[in-house]
Amino acid sequence: MLIDLKTKLSRTRDNLKGKLDELLKSGKTKDDVLDGLAETLILADVGVQTTEKIVDSIRKESKKTDSLQNIQNLLKKEITGIFADLPYTSHLKQSPGVFIMVGVNGGGKTTSLAKLAHRYQLEGKNILMVAADTFRAAAQEQLSIWGKRLNIPVLKGQYGADPASVVYDAIQSFKAKEYDYLMVDTAGRIHTNVNLMNELEKIRRVISREIEGAPQEILLVLDASIGQNALIQARQFLKFSGLTGIFLTKLDGTAKGGSVISIVDELKLPIKFVGVGEREKDILDFSPQEFVDALLS
Ligand code: GDP
Ligand code: MG
């Protein structure tokens, strides 16, 4: 792998593994170490509920042995267990395929869409991007800039146009020119939550009516650097039923990477991709094993 997750996660790692190592060397009793572990997890933004679940489980398991060193392995096992049984690999394998990005403004939707488009472009796919955020001229402009930079066509609607109708028009062009993937950028105004969810439903309906089996992926874009607040935002989007996974952004340099664990634990949605920077190549496939290793090995 070109980008090293361990380096990107170093601040979270220092928070978690660094403090855990100190605890294990501290000579404290097992109970005190476990209390310290709970505190450490919460400080790393793992969230109260998920932390309690993890520490309770370790407490039970660790009754069988007196070895403190075993606590680190049990922690790994618990976190790995939270990540188990979800489909982390992206569905988008055959053309024609459709991707939709949803999430609040500023989370990284447009950037992440461009990253994905670039990745599939490198695989030789023909991509069409559509700016369905018709409420902010700047949002459309931003996607156009990415399009020019990556040499990928972008369709935009009229300012204030119905986003679903913009997507409908894009689909006609998509079909006529036989593109492989249509990548849809959407608006993220949560202060009009009900409208936004209806709007997303409508976009999804138009797509499934026009292209069989589509959309293959509806990714909720969440900003890892805001820690537990990402989870609060995510809950709003659970009202929109079609989500297939998470694109977790800004994992580079954050000390709040522990939030990843509670996001998966609570939402039961797989993280499919991770953003680790602002450039088009700053994207990784999420691998639970790699994540746990980067945090604790
Ligand atoms: P949108 O409003 O959801 O479309 O979000 P944008 O794509 O406009 O991104 C908001 C800001 O976050 C921009 O300044 C991006 O460059 C930045 N950004 C997006 N993804 C990442 C990432 O993975 N890491 C970092 N460091 N910044 C990111
Ligand atoms: Mg945007």
Side-chain angles (χ1 to χ4, degrees):
M1 190 178 38
L2 288 169
I3 301 170
D4 179 25
L5 188 63
K6 208 171 189 170
T7 314
K8 299 286 179 185
L9 273 172
S10 60
R11 287 187 62 208
T12 303
R13 181 184 164 81
D14 289 349
N15 257 354
L16 253 182
K17 182 166 165 49
K19 294 213 181 102
L20 180 61
D21 288 347
E22 268 172 42
L23 271 172
L24 293 178
K25 276 185 269 171
S26 65
K28 288 182 177 166
T29 64
K30 195 156 76 185
D31 276 344
D32 285 347
V33 169
L34 287 173
D35 288 345
L37 174 63
E39 204 176 299
T40 303
L41 290 173
I42 286 169
L43 286 174
D45 256 70
V46 178
V48 175
Q49 208 181 311
T50 303
T51 294
E52 277 174 2
K53 186 166 127 180
I54 291 174
V55 175
D56 284 352
S57 216
I58 295 180
R59 189 168 276 128
K60 269 188 215 126
E61 284 288 316
S62 70
K63 285 214 172 92
K64 297 171 195 159
T65 154
D66 270 337
S67 160
L68 274 178
Q69 293 309 322
N70 196 34
I71 287 181
Q72 174 152 335
N73 290 332
L74 289 175
L75 178 60
K76 265 195 193 171
K77 199 177 126 204
E78 284 307 317
I79 298 174
T80 307
I82 287 173
F83 286 134
D85 301 332
L86 288 169
Y88 292 93
T89 314
S90 176
H91 298 148
L92 197 54
K93 290 280 179 264
Q94 76 230 33
S95 355
V98 182
F99 247 104
I100 310 178
M101 295 302 209
V102 306
V104 304
N105 286 338
K109 287 183 299 299
T110 307
T111 309
S112 303
L113 189 86
K115 286 176 182 177
L116 279 172
H118 175 64
R119 161 182 281 211
Y120 292 118
Q121 183 186 40
L122 291 179
E123 288 178 9
K125 303 290 186 201
N126 284 318
I127 319 279
L128 178 63
M129 300 196 286
V130 51
D133 185 349
T134 54
F135 293 83
R136 292 187 307 164
Q140 299 211 339
E141 193 45 39
Q142 193 196 357
L143 193 63
S144 296
I145 292 168
W146 272 114
K148 283 201 192 92
R149 192 158 135 197
L150 302 175
N151 201 17
I152 295 174
V154 174
L155 287 184
K156 294 185 284 187
Q158 293 284 333
Y159 176 73
D162 174 19
S165 76
V166 174
V167 172
Y168 178 85
D169 290 345
I171 292 172
Q172 306 319 311
S173 179
F174 176 78
K175 285 179 174 169
K177 295 186 183 152
E178 297 186 350
Y179 284 100
D180 294 308
Y181 297 151
L182 179 68
M183 313 215 122
V184 184
D185 196 14
T186 64
R189 313 166 315 280
I190 40 169
H191 54 278
T192 55
N193 190 261
V194 175
N195 285 343
L196 178 59
M197 296 310 145
N198 289 339
E199 195 177 293
L200 293 175
E201 271 315 327
K202 208 166 145 193
I203 290 175
R204 186 169 66 127
R205 271 204 309 276
V206 166
I207 294 170
S208 24
R209 204 172 57 214
E210 295 293 316
I211 301 169
E212 205 192 321
Q216 281 76 1
E217 290 278 25
I218 304 178
L219 295 179
L220 175 61
V221 177
L222 291 178
D223 176 349
S225 73
I226 62 170
Q228 286 297 302
N229 285 326
L231 205 50
I232 295 169
Q233 287 180 359
R235 286 190 199 115
Q236 313 230 28
F237 281 87
L238 289 183
K239 291 175 200 132
F240 171 58
S241 54
L243 300 176
T244 59
I246 295 166
F247 192 126
L248 193 71
T249 63
K250 310 186 198 182
L251 205 58
D252 48 310
T254 179
K256 297 173 187 274
S259 58
V260 173
I261 301 163
S262 52
I263 284 170
V264 175
D265 186 32
E266 189 173 316
L267 304 180
K268 304 280 182 265
L269 274 173
I271 295 170
K272 300 218 165 169
F273 304 98
V274 172
V276 288
E278 296 186 277
R279 300 163 307 173
E280 61 268 25
K281 59 180 176 189
D282 294 327
I283 171 175
L284 298 172
D285 290 301
F286 182 78
S287 144
Q289 194 55 56
E290 246 174 69
F291 180 79
V292 175
D293 284 346
L295 274 190
L296 292 169
S297 284

